[in-house]
């Protein structure tokens, strides 16, 4: 049984822009932020050189094939959002004490130094998985690097899913994908 089409979120719009033989459809949220994009081929029924336009409802798109692409744009956005939420929920379940671990990690990396270790979580746009970012400066960078060197990674450095960048100013940035972040934090939880 097919599912009912997802509606365009309240106060969201779709911008249509014709380029050569394509129409670029951009989903725009209520704050004007571009949320998702897709492409639709121009059909023989679509006049070339169609001016840009922004619609607030699918019914404003009169070409059936273009309306179908607009609906797919909306559906894909909802699917991606659900996937990202499921991954975030899985990360939260795997690391229920995240805030405590990140606070402890910051105090460990500080080691009495004045340089701060910053932690943040984001979502990878491609994989829709959680990314843990650890940034430290000065002596805290050395402490953080030493800590991650003690972590028994499944493969030799650089481990798959872990990237590190040490710039010329001594700022260290570690990015751990969801799997490696869960493994690292689980290991760190057991450290004295």
């Amino acid at each position: 049984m097919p599912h009912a089409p997802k509606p365009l979120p309240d106060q969201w719009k779709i911008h249509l822009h014709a380029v050569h033989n394509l129409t670029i459809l951009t989903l725009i949220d209520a704050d004007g932020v571009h949320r998702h994009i897709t492409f639709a081929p121009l059909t023989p029924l679509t006049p070339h050189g169609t001016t840009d336009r922004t619609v607030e409802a699918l019914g404003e798109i009169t070409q059936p094939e273009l309306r179908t692409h607009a609906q797919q744009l909306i559906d894909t956005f909802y699917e991606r959002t659900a996937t990202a939420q499921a991954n975030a929920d899985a990360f939260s379940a795997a690391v229920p004490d995240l805030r405590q671990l990140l606070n402890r990690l910051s105090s460990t990396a500080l080691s009495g130094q004045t340089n701060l270790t910053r932690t943040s979580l984001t979502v990878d746009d491609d994989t829709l998985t959680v990314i843990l970012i650890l940034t430290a400066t000065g002596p805290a960078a050395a402490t953080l690097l030493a800590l991650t060197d003690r972590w028994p990674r499944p493969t030799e450095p650089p481990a798959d899913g872990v990237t590190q960048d040490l710039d010329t100013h001594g700022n260290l940035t570690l990015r751990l994908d969801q799997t490696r972040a869960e493994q690292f934090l689980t290991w760190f939880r057991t450290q004295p």
Side-chain angles (χ1 to χ4, degrees):
M1 172 184 237
H3 298 283
K6 300 280 188 193
L8 186 61
D10 189 36
Q11 298 183 5
W12 285 37
K13 299 172 180 151
I14 298 176
H15 181 77
L16 299 104
H17 174 71
V19 178
H20 299 293
N21 63 343
L22 292 175
T23 300
I24 303 169
L25 295 94
T26 306
L27 186 61
I28 304 171
D29 71 14
D31 295 324
V33 176
H34 293 197
R35 293 305 199 102
H36 198 58
I37 189 169
T38 194
F39 305 91
L42 288 175
T43 66
L45 300 175
T46 308
H48 287 283
T50 302
T51 59
D52 288 5
R53 60 190 167 132
T54 302
V55 299
E56 296 180 2
L58 288 179
E60 295 178 41
I61 303 173
T62 57
Q63 301 93 353
E65 292 163 357
L66 195 54
R67 190 171 41 249
T68 297
H69 281 280
Q71 183 63 61
Q72 290 169 348
L73 173 71
I74 295 167
D75 293 345
T76 300
F77 171 76
Y78 279 111
E79 289 166 11
R80 287 175 52 84
T81 301
T83 299
Q85 185 63 56
N87 288 331
D89 291 346
F91 185 77
S92 293
V95 189
D97 54 345
L98 177 65
R99 180 56 37 215
Q100 294 167 330
L101 289 171
L102 294 182
N103 287 342
R104 186 171 151 238
L105 183 60
S106 290
S107 66
T108 298
L110 281 170
S111 298
Q113 305 297 326
T114 58
N115 302 83
L116 179 64
T117 297
R118 292 181 310 278
T119 60
S120 62
L121 294 174
T122 189
V123 174
D124 183 279
D125 287 337
D126 295 324
T127 63
L128 304 176
T129 55
V130 172
I131 301 292
L132 172 63
I133 302 171
L134 306 172
T135 306
T137 59
T143 304
L144 180 60
L145 193 55
L147 177 66
T148 57
D149 282 345
R150 286 193 351 238
W151 169 40
R153 298 179 190 180
T155 59
E156 291 299 313
D160 218 12
V162 178
T163 59
Q164 61 187 37
D165 178 46
L166 183 61
D167 68 19
T168 57
H169 302 290
N171 300 315
L172 173 67
T173 301
L174 289 172
R175 291 176 53 91
L176 295 92
D177 70 12
Q178 184 162 341
T179 300
R180 296 298 186 230
E182 290 173 6
Q183 292 170 348
F184 174 73
L185 292 171
T186 299
W187 169 80
F188 182 67
R189 182 184 295 127
T190 65
Q191 298 307 296

